[in-house]
Amino acid sequence: IGVDRKDLNKVFYQLTLEILAKQKFEAYDSKGSVVAGDKDKEVLVRDIWVFEKSTFHPGAHWRLCGRISPKAS
């Protein structure tokens, strides 16, 4: 939970999610030639996303407010 110190009525929730997913990727140029990736190879991808939702805006929805780069291990 975050609070705007200048206006204590402005409070918002913040949620950080780590997402681990196996993904396939392949990119092509305008001629259809593969320029990156391999559609047959799975790669484990780790994303960390930060969402927030205000409590002072009626009908507010969760929104993506940031992405954290995972440290290389």
Side-chain angles (χ1 to χ4, degrees):
I1 297 177
V3 178
D4 182 343
R5 293 176 195 260
K6 296 176 187 170
D7 184 349
L8 298 179
N9 292 318
K10 291 187 177 178
V11 177
F12 61 92
Y13 301 112
Q14 201 169 65
L15 175 69
T16 303
L17 294 176
E18 177 182 35
I19 302 165
L20 293 172
K22 291 181 182 176
Q23 299 180 9
K24 295 180 181 180
F25 169 79
E26 192 166 272
Y28 306 89
D29 65 12
S30 60
K31 297 178 183 177
S33 300
V34 176
V35 294
D38 180 347
K39 68 179 180 181
D40 297 320
K41 183 180 177 186
E42 283 186 345
V43 177
L44 183 62
V45 177
R46 179 179 177 219
D47 279 319
I48 302 172
W49 293 353
V50 181
F51 295 88
E52 69 181 17
K53 179 181 180 185
S54 97
T55 60
F56 54 93
H57 286 111
H61 298 283
W62 286 97
R63 69 180 187 111
L64 178 63
C65 68
R67 183 174 178 268
I68 299 171
S69 296
K71 294 179 182 178
S73 37

